[in-house]
Amino acid sequence: MESGKRVLLIISGGIAAYKSLELVRDLRRRDIAVRCILTDAGSQFVTPLSLAALTEDKVYQDLFSLTDESEMGHIELSREADLVVVAPATANILAKMRSGIANDLATTALLATDKQVIVAPAMNVRMWKHAATQENITILQERGVQVIGPEEGDMACGEYGMGRMSEPAALVEAIENFFHNAGQAPQKSLIGKKAIITSGPTHEAIDPVRYLANHSSGRQGHAIAKALAELGAETVLVSGPTQLADPMGVTVQHVKSAEDMLAACEAALPADIVVCAAAVADWRVANPPSEKIKKNGALPSLDLVENPDILANVSQLDKDRPALVIGFAAETEDVIAYAQAKLAKKGCDWIVANDVSPETGTFGGKNNTVHVIDAETIEDWPTLSKEGVGQKLAARIAIHLENNST
Ligand code: CTP
């Protein structure tokens, strides 16, 4: 519970505004007070009445309203909040924030605030990908604004792509993380640090057209890379083949096989932090032929050889070993015991262990229930979205490095 905390929620005009109603409810359930500013465009999608009922407070809409200004001026609105959240954040409001335009109550409050600001962009995929929006986002991030989402999926306009507002649960997590960090803006605490993350499956060639692979979606590794970059780390993501977009602010090396993945990691070293989240194939075909194997009656047999273990290699480096090496243990039984054995065998500092039995839906799914294990402790985390696990892990890494800096 975050009893007594106050969020100023700015709702700008987009179909995703309906999600802000659920966000208000989720925050109120956690005893977080929510005061809303609704833009003119926002009021086309949700009504002040619904928001007033859910927040149990007045909803502020008009910069030049005498009653609003006499009760609570625009400066006071941002001053009395602990955190400002813009959800949904349209391309328009992001552009105004970047330029310092203040031509309504929402943008005036945003220009006047000295509080941490979190934005949850929501827009059509082409508006999101437009160079103007991307530049606005980059500059806002550089100024310390925390950006949550957008996510990929079907859009109200009938298109598919990046631009859906993150779910309220992801925003609640980010807001709770902010409050847990005692009101300190979490971002930028990893400035000056370099991180390498492996993510996704690897494809091991059987012949030029076939390969061995696994069900990893790469969601968890990508989310960790994004979260570390958001904290200011120079981040290199070495990704096997996935369907995911490259996270913003991250240098992505696309690879196919385990051997390529190891080579890309070695090329990116030295680093302060290495997180091996990839589901690296344990074996590859010894000598894949350069021509397609034909069906000629006899069943082919595959000679397999073991792949290099990237996590073990990095953990056991003699020279320039990263300060923190983290592995994952994807298990289907005895999760903790196997994970502890992996920690010892591979020589990494932490293992993030999870149950990937098919009934958990972890492989390819949106959520993850993990245990963070080091030589002394086992921390059981609640079920979180993979983005939530990424943010919590990045925050834990930042705290660890700070406490152990010499
Ligand atoms: N890993 C790696 N390189 C490999 C195999 C695994 O870097 N060739 C890393 C993974 O990224 C993960 C950790 O090692 O961080 C554990 O991977 P996992 O597949 O669970 O362990 P294995 O060592 O393959 O053991 P097993 O398959 O027997 O459980």
Side-chain angles (χ1 to χ4, degrees):
M1 285 292 215
E2 302 297 342
S3 188
K5 298 293 185 198
R6 290 158 306 185
V7 168
L8 176 65
L9 175 62
I10 296 176
I11 301 169
S12 64
I15 185 71
Y18 75 91
K19 291 187 184 173
S20 57
L21 297 176
E22 198 180 325
L23 175 63
V24 172
R25 250 184 24 168
D26 290 350
L27 292 174
R28 294 294 299 124
R29 278 203 198 109
R30 286 164 174 77
D31 222 5
I32 297 174
V34 185
R35 179 157 277 165
C36 289
I37 295 180
L38 184 59
T39 66
D40 277 353
S43 68
Q44 303 292 320
F45 295 94
V46 289
T47 67
L49 193 60
S50 334
L51 285 169
L54 290 172
T55 56
E56 300 167 88
D57 196 358
K58 182 178 159 61
V59 174
Y60 292 80
Q61 290 183 273
D62 190 356
L63 179 59
F64 299 112
S65 150
L66 272 179
T67 45
D68 283 9
E69 276 292 310
S70 58
E71 279 172 30
M72 170 80 55
H74 57 275
I75 306 287
E76 197 54 31
L77 269 173
S78 57
R79 193 179 288 156
E80 54 103 63
D82 299 299
L83 174 68
V84 180
V85 178
V86 189
T90 58
N92 182 48
I93 203 164
L94 292 169
K96 287 186 189 172
M97 286 172 72
R98 181 257 168 103
S99 308
I101 293 174
N103 62 351
D104 62 5
L105 182 59
T107 46
T108 308
L110 281 163
L111 194 61
T113 193
D114 57 354
K115 299 293 162 50
Q116 173 64 29
V117 179
I118 295 180
V119 297
M123 65 198 74
N124 164 278
V125 53
R126 271 168 289 115
M127 291 170 77
W128 171 250
K129 287 197 166 156
H130 195 285
T133 307
Q134 289 301 307
E135 194 182 294
N136 293 338
I137 284 283
T138 305
I139 288 183
L140 289 171
Q141 280 182 314
E142 281 167 13
R143 288 186 199 149
V145 170
Q146 188 180 352
V147 181
I148 308 293
E151 285 170 21
E152 197 169 324
D154 290 320
M155 320 199 80
C157 54
E159 293 191 45
Y160 181 92
M162 286 287 277
R164 281 169 62 94
M165 182 172 128
S166 291
E167 292 306 314
L171 284 167
V172 170
E173 266 165 44
I175 293 168
E176 286 197 310
N177 279 346
F178 171 78
F179 288 135
H180 283 162
N181 289 329
Q184 294 298 310
Q187 48 265 78
K188 309 305 168 206
S189 44
L190 286 176
I191 276 182
K193 303 287 181 205
K194 179 167 178 186
I196 303 172
I197 294 86
T198 68
S199 181
T202 60
H203 286 184
E204 308 298 333
I206 295 173
D207 66 18
V209 296
R210 305 181 179 95
Y211 56 81
L212 298 172
N214 59 62
H215 289 300
S216 169
S217 65
R219 271 174 182 268
Q220 188 57 81
H222 278 55
I224 294 167
K226 180 166 178 272
L228 288 167
E230 278 170 2
L231 294 194
E234 177 195 342
T235 306
V236 178
L237 173 64
V238 182
S239 174
T242 75
Q243 300 294 319
L244 302 175
D246 291 352
M248 249 188 332
V250 170
T251 304
V252 186
Q253 303 286 352
H254 294 278
V255 297
K256 286 213 169 80
S257 68
E259 287 181 302
D260 296 345
M261 191 173 267
L262 176 64
C265 289
E266 284 173 345
L269 283 165
D272 304 282
I273 307 149
V274 172
V275 184
C276 290
V280 184
D282 288 318
W283 307 280
R284 68 178 184 279
V285 176
N287 291 304
S290 55
E291 256 117 62
K292 186 179 164 191
I293 303 172
K294 301 303 281 180
K295 249 188 308 183
N296 58 7
L299 287 177
S301 68
L302 299 177
D303 273 339
L304 298 178
V305 288
E306 202 164 316
N307 264 329
D309 191 313
I310 301 164
L311 176 63
N313 264 284
V314 175
S315 300
Q316 291 160 29
L317 279 174
D318 290 332
K319 197 166 156 272
D320 292 337
R321 182 194 187 274
L324 191 56
V325 183
I326 304 173
F328 269 70
E331 308 292 349
T332 54
E333 58 185 338
D334 294 334
V335 176
I336 304 284
Y338 277 128
Q340 286 173 320
K342 255 170 217 177
L343 182 82
K345 183 172 143 208
K346 304 211 181 193
C348 57
D349 303 300
W350 302 353
I351 284 271
V352 180
N354 58 0
D355 187 340
V356 292
S357 315
E359 60 275 16
T360 64
T362 305
F363 255 146
K366 287 195 162 169
N367 292 334
N368 208 353
T369 313
V370 306
H371 315 270
V372 179
I373 299 170
D374 63 20
E376 283 101 39
T377 56
I378 302 169
E379 225 176 76
D380 300 322
W381 288 8
T383 299
L384 295 169
S385 66
K386 288 182 178 173
E387 287 71 30
V389 170
Q391 286 164 2
K392 203 166 153 72
L393 190 67
R396 196 183 197 272
I397 291 170
I399 291 166
H400 175 87
L401 291 185
E402 193 164 323
N403 291 343
N404 292 280
S405 63
T406 43

